Amino acid sequence: SQQGEEDPQALSIQEGENATMNCSYKTSINNLQWYRQNSGRGLVHLILIRSNEREKHSGRLRVTLDTSKKSSSLLITASRAADTASYFCANEVSGYALNFGKGTSLLVTP
Amino acid sequence: GAVVSQHPSWVICKSGTSVKIECRSLDFQATTMFWYRQFPKQSLMLMATSNEGSKATYEQGVEKDKFLINHASLTLSTLTVTSAHPEDSSFYICSAPRSGVEEKLFFGSGTQLSVL
């Protein structure tokens, strides 16, 4: 069953603006992962944040994790048209299998 | 470069035929692989866990006789959609865990199945 819930479901911004996506989950986690999916393609791992971490950066990406609220956010700074994609949060269930959220569809217009 | 290869990328078939999708780990061994299904504009749903040398583990609601999984070797898992029907049309993605790296799970590029 799906655990993560992202919001917003869809986000449209202009190039240069920041994009923030949120994810909530229900059960305890070891880590939370964010993935990107271009239309009709496979998934690309963006970043993993462990349960004992509160914030993590990777290039223009910033992820936060609040285990008390069971929520995480993904911030993409200075967005580009090439960032247009769907973004999913996911948490591990047993044995590496991931449970994905519903995703946020991001559109960045030039 | 890709570490998990999935083929074919897309397939169109007639209703009633069977379709095989392959998932290969390219430079590592994977005793376990995962098969996901994704409908348009929806999330990925775990279908089954493929185990090398033993039977696959299916998620609730997934018909094991409909979706045959064979983990033939430490680098290859196949998903066969048997007697495909239009409602089986979907995007199928495999993934394999790789120990020793943080992200752990690598995904194939997916297979778009269209059943006419």
Side-chain angles (χ1 to χ4, degrees):
Chain A
S1 60
Q2 285 188 276
Q3 175 165 228
E5 293 278 342
E6 284 97 332
D7 77 88
Q9 290 187 349
L11 180 61
S12 181
I13 59 174
Q14 291 189 319
E15 270 191 327
E17 294 180 335
N18 296 340
T20 300
M21 290 160 266
N22 303 298
C23 167
S24 60
Y25 57 92
K26 296 178 182 176
T27 63
S28 61
I29 59 170
N30 292 323
N31 61 67
L32 196 83
Q33 303 178 40
W34 285 88
Y35 286 82
R36 168 195 168 125
Q37 183 183 34
N38 287 355
S39 180
R41 306 285 292 178
L43 273 73
V44 174
H45 175 88
L46 295 177
I47 198 166
L48 180 152
I49 186 165
R50 301 186 188 284
S51 59
N52 61 354
E53 297 176 310
R54 292 297 169 258
E55 187 172 313
K56 199 165 184 179
H57 297 253
S58 177
R60 293 184 296 112
L61 304 180
R62 172 175 168 253
V63 169
T64 62
L65 179 65
D66 187 337
T67 53
S68 66
K69 296 181 179 179
K70 291 187 166 57
S71 67
S72 174
S73 68
L74 170 66
L75 168 68
I76 304 175
T77 60
S79 63
R80 306 165 182 168
D83 294 329
T84 294
S86 291
Y87 293 83
F88 296 91
C89 67
N91 67 288
E92 284 186 8
V93 289
S94 60
Y96 297 118
L98 292 178
N99 207 6
F100 284 88
K102 294 182 178 180
T104 293
S105 178
L106 174 65
L107 173 64
V108 183
T109 55
Chain B
V3 295
V4 173
S5 174
Q6 185 173 342
H7 292 281
S9 297
W10 57 271
V11 58
I12 302 173
C13 69
K14 292 182 179 180
S15 186
T17 60
S18 295
V19 174
K20 179 185 284 189
I21 303 170
E22 291 188 348
C23 182
R24 295 179 184 272
S25 56
L26 295 183
D27 59 356
F28 66 100
Q29 294 182 337
T31 56
T32 301
M33 291 186 180
F34 303 100
W35 287 95
Y36 289 85
R37 179 176 184 175
Q38 184 181 33
F39 289 108
K41 299 188 185 302
Q42 294 191 23
S43 188
L44 285 79
M45 298 297 293
L46 180 64
M47 297 176 65
T49 301
S50 173
N51 304 299
E52 192 272 335
S54 63
K55 292 182 179 180
T57 305
Y58 290 82
E59 295 299 303
Q60 191 174 12
V62 178
E63 300 176 58
K64 61 181 181 180
D65 295 331
K66 174 75 171 177
F67 299 99
L68 299 180
I69 291 174
N70 181 23
H71 204 126
S73 72
L74 288 171
T75 59
L76 174 64
S77 175
T78 60
L79 168 68
T80 301
V81 183
T82 61
S83 186
H85 289 284
E87 57 266 30
D88 298 325
S89 298
S90 186
F91 192 62
Y92 295 87
I93 310 176
C94 69
S95 65
R98 184 175 187 178
S99 60
V101 294
E102 185 182 63
E103 65 183 88
K104 298 180 185 176
L105 205 60
F106 292 85
F107 285 81
S109 56
T111 298
Q112 180 64 52
L113 171 63
S114 296
V115 185
L116 304 179

